[in-house]
Amino acid sequence: MFDDFLTRAALAGIGLTFATGPLGSFVVWRRMAYFGDATAHAAILGVALSFAFGSSVYLGTLGVALAMAVTVARLSGRGHAMDTVLGVLAHSALAFGLVAASFQSGLRVDLTAWLFGDILAVSRADLAVVWGGSAVVLAMLAWRWQGLLTSTINDELAMASGLDPRREQMVLTIALAMTVAVSIKIVGALLIAALLIIPAAAARQAVRSPEAMAAGATGVGIVSVLLGLWGSLQFDTPAGPSIVAAATFVFLLSLPLRRRG
């Protein structure tokens, strides 16, 4: 039987995949991988500010991640080159976060956990935050599902259908910021984007509908979490990177499915 800490880790990882699966599908469809990176890197600055002001890490991370996501969305909408904006903001936010963390001795010791995750240290309170946050993200995506799909296909088609593409983009922006906030303790700032993208990319090989891809990405995420935790236990490897490595292994196994489809 699993120890309590391993059970909590598995439940936290599984809870997170209910958000990363559907959201990661939109990240893949919209080619927002770098957008996810920028938001995730900003999370370290949120962690540093939370420790400095003695506030909740989840709230601090959410605030900074949301500010980063909104900034990127607004700048890209004004004609700035998207890849340049994302590159500047992503690396700048990470650098400022690391510099800010270096001034706080307690955070400096635990910085690796925030960069790469520490899912084995998840508490019952963390579980409530993860499952609650994932439920909110899933509800948001379900609420705007058709509008998000339409605007993903084509902005002009969305406007012809009476939709505002900017509103749909904002829904994704908020959902991404919330996902980053609840997942930073599990897989860390440097691996969040990987957990969003890799399961969705693996599911894409074998499905033929958006709904099936969202469900498939969630399934791949669950398998990756359980396989990664097993590998971490067996080989004494870091849990967060092990989960991402397991997701990559599943992705490689999925590649032949595309050729048969």
Side-chain angles (χ1 to χ4, degrees):
M1 181 177 292
F2 281 176
D3 293 326
D4 285 345
F5 77 92
L6 201 55
T7 301
R8 289 195 299 272
L11 289 174
I14 291 171
L16 180 61
T17 62
F18 284 104
T20 58
L23 182 59
S25 298
F26 281 105
V27 169
V28 169
W29 292 329
R30 288 175 171 247
R31 299 180 180 179
M32 293 171 59
Y34 214 167
F35 189 99
D37 266 334
T39 307
H41 288 175
I44 289 297
L45 180 57
V47 171
L49 292 176
S50 298
F51 272 76
F53 293 101
S55 62
S56 166
V57 170
Y58 290 115
L59 290 179
T61 302
L62 175 61
V64 173
L66 186 57
M68 169 64 78
V70 171
T71 299
V72 171
R74 289 187 179 277
L75 288 177
S76 62
R78 294 181 181 179
H80 296 270
M82 189 66 159
D83 57 343
T84 302
V85 171
L86 289 172
V88 171
L89 291 180
H91 295 98
S92 298
L94 181 59
F96 279 115
L98 293 174
V99 169
S102 70
F103 289 103
Q104 304 171 58
S105 58
L107 179 56
R108 186 165 49 196
V109 172
D110 297 329
L111 194 56
T112 301
W114 295 109
L115 288 171
F116 298 103
D118 192 8
I119 191 173
L120 297 180
V122 168
S123 66
R124 293 181 184 273
D126 294 326
L127 271 180
V129 171
V130 170
W131 278 87
S134 292
V136 172
V137 170
L138 193 57
M140 289 175 60
L141 296 179
W143 169 52
R144 299 302 310 163
W145 182 261
Q146 196 56 53
L148 288 169
L149 283 179
T150 304
S151 62
T152 296
I153 295 171
N154 187 278
D155 282 350
E156 293 180 359
L157 177 62
M159 288 187 287
S161 302
L163 300 170
D164 184 354
R166 290 175 299 180
R167 181 182 63 184
E168 308 306 327
Q169 176 68 33
M170 187 55 63
V171 170
L172 283 180
T173 296
I174 295 172
L176 183 59
M178 290 191 65
T179 302
V180 167
V182 301
S183 63
I184 187 169
K185 190 168 185 177
I186 297 176
V187 291
L190 299 184
L191 301 177
I192 293 172
L195 196 59
L196 282 165
I197 296 165
I198 298 175
R204 193 177 194 177
Q205 312 299 324
V207 300
R208 298 185 181 277
S209 73
E211 293 78 11
M213 180 169 165
T218 302
V220 171
I222 292 173
V223 170
S224 301
V225 167
L226 297 179
L227 188 59
L229 288 175
W230 176 83
S232 176
L233 187 64
Q234 292 295 315
F235 305 109
D236 195 25
T237 54
S242 297
I243 290 172
V244 176
T248 304
F249 178 69
V250 176
F251 170 74
L252 293 175
L253 291 179
S254 74
L255 290 178
L257 297 177
R258 187 183 184 113
R259 304 190 189 100
R260 296 188 193 124

